[in-house]
Amino acid sequence: MLLFLFIVAVLGGALNAVAGGGSFLALPALLYAGVAPVAANATTTMAMWPASVASTIAYRHDITLHRRWVLPLGAVSLVGGLIGGQLLMRTSDVSFMRLLPWLMLLATITFTIGGRLTTRLGRGPAHHMSMWTLVLQLAIATYGGYFGGGIGIMMLAVMSVAGMTNIHEMNGLKMMLAVAINGVALAEFVWHGAVDWTPGLIMAAGGMSGGYAGAAIARRLSPRSVRAFVVLLAWSLSLYFFIRGYADL
Protein backbone atom coordinates (compact mmCIF):
# COMPACT_ATOMS: atom_id res chain seq x y z
CA MET A 1 0.00 0.00 0.00
CA LEU A 2 2.88 2.40 0.73
CA LEU A 3 4.25 1.73 -2.75
CA PHE A 4 0.82 2.56 -4.17
CA LEU A 5 0.77 5.85 -2.25
CA PHE A 6 4.28 6.70 -3.43
CA ILE A 7 3.34 6.10 -7.08
CA VAL A 8 0.17 8.17 -6.71
CA ALA A 9 2.19 11.00 -5.16
CA VAL A 10 4.71 10.86 -8.01
CA LEU A 11 1.84 11.22 -10.48
CA GLY A 12 0.29 14.01 -8.38
CA GLY A 13 3.55 15.90 -8.20
CA ALA A 14 4.01 15.56 -11.95
CA LEU A 15 0.47 16.83 -12.57
CA ASN A 16 1.11 19.84 -10.34
CA ALA A 17 4.26 20.64 -12.30
CA VAL A 18 2.50 20.47 -15.66
CA ALA A 19 -1.11 21.52 -15.13
CA GLY A 20 -2.02 21.38 -11.42
CA GLY A 21 -4.58 19.14 -9.72
CA GLY A 22 -2.32 16.75 -7.83
CA SER A 23 -4.58 16.81 -4.77
CA PHE A 24 -7.33 15.20 -6.85
CA LEU A 25 -5.17 12.07 -6.73
CA ALA A 26 -3.60 12.32 -3.28
CA LEU A 27 -6.71 12.67 -1.09
CA PRO A 28 -8.74 9.80 -2.65
CA ALA A 29 -5.64 7.58 -2.51
CA LEU A 30 -5.28 8.17 1.22
CA LEU A 31 -8.98 7.48 1.78
CA TYR A 32 -8.63 4.27 -0.24
CA ALA A 33 -5.64 3.32 1.91
CA GLY A 34 -7.86 3.50 4.99
CA VAL A 35 -6.78 6.84 6.45
CA ALA A 36 -9.63 8.59 8.29
CA PRO A 37 -11.20 11.45 6.26
CA VAL A 38 -10.00 14.43 8.32
CA ALA A 39 -6.56 12.87 8.78
CA ALA A 40 -6.42 12.13 5.04
CA ASN A 41 -7.10 15.78 4.24
CA ALA A 42 -4.47 16.95 6.73
CA THR A 43 -1.97 14.39 5.43
CA THR A 44 -2.58 15.52 1.84
CA THR A 45 -1.62 19.04 2.89
CA MET A 46 1.55 17.71 4.51
CA ALA A 47 2.42 15.55 1.47
CA MET A 48 2.03 18.36 -1.09
CA TRP A 49 3.63 21.17 0.96
CA PRO A 50 7.35 20.41 0.36
CA ALA A 51 6.87 20.52 -3.42
CA SER A 52 5.16 23.91 -3.07
CA VAL A 53 8.14 25.21 -1.09
CA ALA A 54 10.50 24.02 -3.83
CA SER A 55 8.40 25.73 -6.50
CA THR A 56 8.35 28.96 -4.50
CA ILE A 57 12.15 28.94 -4.30
CA ALA A 58 12.28 28.46 -8.07
CA TYR A 59 10.02 31.52 -8.52
CA ARG A 60 11.86 33.69 -5.96
CA HIS A 61 13.12 36.22 -8.51
CA ASP A 62 9.62 36.77 -9.90
CA ILE A 63 8.19 37.26 -6.42
CA THR A 64 10.62 40.11 -5.67
CA LEU A 65 9.15 42.08 -8.56
CA HIS A 66 6.01 42.61 -6.50
CA ARG A 67 7.32 42.96 -2.98
CA ARG A 68 4.61 45.49 -2.12
CA TRP A 69 2.00 42.76 -2.64
CA VAL A 70 3.76 40.20 -0.47
CA LEU A 71 3.21 41.62 3.02
CA PRO A 72 -0.55 42.38 2.91
CA LEU A 73 -1.51 39.30 0.91
CA GLY A 74 0.85 37.14 2.97
CA ALA A 75 -0.65 38.41 6.22
CA VAL A 76 -4.26 37.68 5.26
CA SER A 77 -3.16 34.30 3.84
CA LEU A 78 -1.66 33.31 7.19
CA VAL A 79 -4.80 34.40 9.04
CA GLY A 80 -7.10 32.60 6.61
CA GLY A 81 -5.00 29.44 6.59
CA LEU A 82 -5.06 29.35 10.39
CA ILE A 83 -8.84 29.83 10.48
CA GLY A 84 -9.36 27.10 7.88
CA GLY A 85 -7.07 24.69 9.72
CA GLN A 86 -8.90 25.29 12.99
CA LEU A 87 -12.25 24.72 11.27
CA LEU A 88 -11.04 21.37 9.91
CA MET A 89 -9.86 20.30 13.38
CA ARG A 90 -13.38 20.99 14.63
CA THR A 91 -14.99 18.89 11.89
CA SER A 92 -15.85 15.24 12.51
CA ASP A 93 -14.98 12.55 9.98
CA VAL A 94 -18.68 12.03 9.23
CA SER A 95 -19.28 15.74 8.64
CA PHE A 96 -16.18 16.04 6.48
CA MET A 97 -17.33 13.16 4.26
CA ARG A 98 -20.66 14.97 3.85
CA LEU A 99 -18.84 18.15 2.86
CA LEU A 100 -16.21 16.49 0.70
CA PRO A 101 -18.37 16.06 -2.44
CA TRP A 102 -19.21 19.78 -2.38
CA LEU A 103 -15.59 20.75 -1.75
CA MET A 104 -14.49 18.53 -4.61
CA LEU A 105 -17.18 20.01 -6.85
CA LEU A 106 -16.09 23.57 -6.06
CA ALA A 107 -12.46 22.69 -6.72
CA THR A 108 -13.41 20.88 -9.95
CA ILE A 109 -15.49 23.77 -11.30
CA THR A 110 -12.73 26.20 -10.42
CA PHE A 111 -10.12 24.04 -12.14
CA THR A 112 -12.33 23.55 -15.20
CA ILE A 113 -13.15 27.20 -15.90
CA GLY A 114 -10.20 28.83 -14.16
CA GLY A 115 -8.07 29.40 -17.25
CA ARG A 116 -10.84 31.15 -19.18
CA LEU A 117 -11.86 33.10 -16.08
CA THR A 118 -8.42 34.54 -15.44
CA THR A 119 -8.02 35.41 -19.13
CA ARG A 120 -11.25 37.41 -19.11
CA LEU A 121 -10.66 39.07 -15.78
CA GLY A 122 -7.12 39.93 -16.75
CA ARG A 123 -8.30 42.61 -19.17
CA GLY A 124 -8.38 45.17 -16.42
CA PRO A 125 -6.39 48.29 -15.51
CA ALA A 126 -2.88 48.49 -14.12
CA HIS A 127 -1.99 46.86 -10.82
CA HIS A 128 -4.25 48.01 -8.00
CA MET A 129 -4.73 46.29 -4.67
CA SER A 130 -8.03 47.21 -3.05
CA MET A 131 -9.64 46.13 0.19
CA TRP A 132 -11.71 43.68 -1.84
CA THR A 133 -8.50 42.01 -3.01
CA LEU A 134 -7.56 41.35 0.61
CA VAL A 135 -11.08 40.19 1.51
CA LEU A 136 -11.15 37.73 -1.39
CA GLN A 137 -7.68 36.46 -0.51
CA LEU A 138 -8.79 35.94 3.11
CA ALA A 139 -11.77 33.87 1.90
CA ILE A 140 -9.56 31.82 -0.43
CA ALA A 141 -7.01 31.27 2.33
CA THR A 142 -9.69 30.09 4.77
CA TYR A 143 -11.00 27.64 2.19
CA GLY A 144 -7.44 26.59 1.43
CA GLY A 145 -6.60 25.92 5.07
CA TYR A 146 -9.71 23.76 5.34
CA PHE A 147 -9.46 21.87 2.05
CA GLY A 148 -7.12 23.45 -0.49
CA GLY A 149 -8.24 22.11 -3.85
CA GLY A 150 -8.35 24.79 -6.54
CA ILE A 151 -6.85 27.65 -4.52
CA GLY A 152 -4.14 28.26 -7.10
CA ILE A 153 -6.67 29.07 -9.83
CA MET A 154 -8.71 31.15 -7.38
CA MET A 155 -5.69 33.25 -6.46
CA LEU A 156 -4.74 33.76 -10.11
CA ALA A 157 -8.28 35.05 -10.74
CA VAL A 158 -7.99 37.57 -7.88
CA MET A 159 -4.59 38.74 -9.13
CA SER A 160 -6.05 39.18 -12.61
CA VAL A 161 -8.88 41.30 -11.20
CA ALA A 162 -6.26 43.37 -9.38
CA GLY A 163 -4.53 44.00 -12.71
CA MET A 164 -1.52 41.68 -12.70
CA THR A 165 -0.72 40.37 -16.18
CA ASN A 166 2.70 38.67 -16.05
CA ILE A 167 1.97 34.97 -15.55
CA HIS A 168 5.42 34.24 -14.09
CA GLU A 169 5.03 36.97 -11.47
CA MET A 170 1.51 35.75 -10.72
CA ASN A 171 2.61 32.13 -10.40
CA GLY A 172 5.47 33.09 -8.10
CA LEU A 173 3.21 35.10 -5.81
CA LYS A 174 0.55 32.38 -5.95
CA MET A 175 3.05 29.70 -4.88
CA MET A 176 4.37 31.83 -2.02
CA LEU A 177 0.85 32.48 -0.73
CA ALA A 178 -0.03 28.78 -1.06
CA VAL A 179 3.02 27.90 1.03
CA ALA A 180 1.84 30.37 3.69
CA ILE A 181 -1.74 29.08 3.67
CA ASN A 182 -0.87 25.40 3.74
CA GLY A 183 2.10 25.90 6.05
CA VAL A 184 0.12 27.52 8.86
CA ALA A 185 -2.72 25.01 8.38
CA LEU A 186 -0.18 22.17 8.49
CA ALA A 187 1.24 23.52 11.75
CA GLU A 188 -2.30 23.40 13.14
CA PHE A 189 -2.74 19.82 11.93
CA VAL A 190 0.58 18.72 13.44
CA TRP A 191 -0.25 20.41 16.75
CA HIS A 192 -3.51 18.47 16.95
CA GLY A 193 -1.89 15.20 15.84
CA ALA A 194 -4.04 14.97 12.71
CA VAL A 195 -1.26 13.99 10.29
CA ASP A 196 -0.70 10.31 9.50
CA TRP A 197 3.09 10.51 9.22
CA THR A 198 4.02 7.22 7.58
CA PRO A 199 1.94 7.63 4.41
CA GLY A 200 2.46 11.39 4.56
CA LEU A 201 6.25 11.19 4.41
CA ILE A 202 6.11 8.54 1.69
CA MET A 203 3.82 10.76 -0.39
CA ALA A 204 5.91 13.86 0.29
CA ALA A 205 8.94 12.06 -1.16
CA GLY A 206 6.89 10.89 -4.12
CA GLY A 207 5.41 14.34 -4.70
CA MET A 208 8.81 16.01 -4.77
CA SER A 209 10.14 13.33 -7.14
CA GLY A 210 7.15 13.70 -9.40
CA GLY A 211 7.36 17.47 -9.32
CA TYR A 212 11.00 17.38 -10.38
CA ALA A 213 10.32 14.86 -13.14
CA GLY A 214 7.19 16.70 -14.23
CA ALA A 215 9.07 19.96 -14.60
CA ALA A 216 11.70 18.17 -16.70
CA ILE A 217 9.16 16.68 -19.12
CA ALA A 218 6.68 19.57 -19.11
CA ARG A 219 8.04 20.93 -22.37
CA ARG A 220 7.41 17.61 -24.11
CA LEU A 221 3.76 17.32 -23.12
CA SER A 222 0.75 19.31 -24.15
CA PRO A 223 -0.47 21.16 -21.03
CA ARG A 224 -3.93 21.26 -22.60
CA SER A 225 -4.05 17.45 -22.86
CA VAL A 226 -2.82 16.96 -19.30
CA ARG A 227 -5.29 19.56 -18.04
CA ALA A 228 -8.11 17.76 -19.88
CA PHE A 229 -7.12 14.54 -18.12
CA VAL A 230 -7.18 16.27 -14.72
CA VAL A 231 -10.60 17.80 -15.46
CA LEU A 232 -12.01 14.38 -16.41
CA LEU A 233 -10.48 12.83 -13.30
CA ALA A 234 -11.80 15.59 -11.05
CA TRP A 235 -15.37 15.35 -12.35
CA SER A 236 -15.29 11.55 -12.03
CA LEU A 237 -14.05 11.74 -8.43
CA SER A 238 -16.60 14.42 -7.56
CA LEU A 239 -19.39 12.15 -8.82
CA TYR A 240 -17.90 9.21 -6.92
CA PHE A 241 -17.82 11.12 -3.64
CA PHE A 242 -21.40 12.34 -4.11
CA ILE A 243 -22.51 8.73 -4.60
CA ARG A 244 -20.39 7.51 -1.68
CA GLY A 245 -21.41 10.31 0.68
CA TYR A 246 -25.13 10.28 0.00
CA ALA A 247 -25.87 6.69 -1.05
CA ASP A 248 -27.44 5.94 2.32
CA LEU A 249 -29.87 8.89 2.24
Side-chain angles (χ1 to χ4, degrees), residues 152-241:
I153 294 295
M154 294 177 185
M155 287 190 284
L156 287 177
V158 170
M159 293 173 198
S160 295
V161 171
M164 292 186 70
T165 56
N166 186 304
I167 188 60
H168 298 299
E169 297 172 9
M170 294 165 69
N171 273 329
L173 185 57
K174 174 201 73 177
M175 293 306 305
M176 189 215 73
L177 296 176
V179 167
I181 294 167
N182 292 326
V184 72
L186 178 58
E188 185 78 13
F189 302 155
V190 172
W191 177 262
H192 287 277
V195 175
D196 194 331
W197 287 102
T198 300
L201 290 173
I202 291 292
M203 295 190 79
M208 293 185 70
S209 301
Y212 181 84
I217 65 175
R219 295 182 181 89
R220 304 178 186 177
L221 298 177
S222 166
R224 180 175 297 181
S225 299
V226 177
R227 186 176 182 84
F229 168 76
V230 176
V231 167
L232 177 61
L233 174 69
W235 281 106
S236 300
L237 288 172
S238 296
L239 177 61
Y240 167 77
F241 281 113

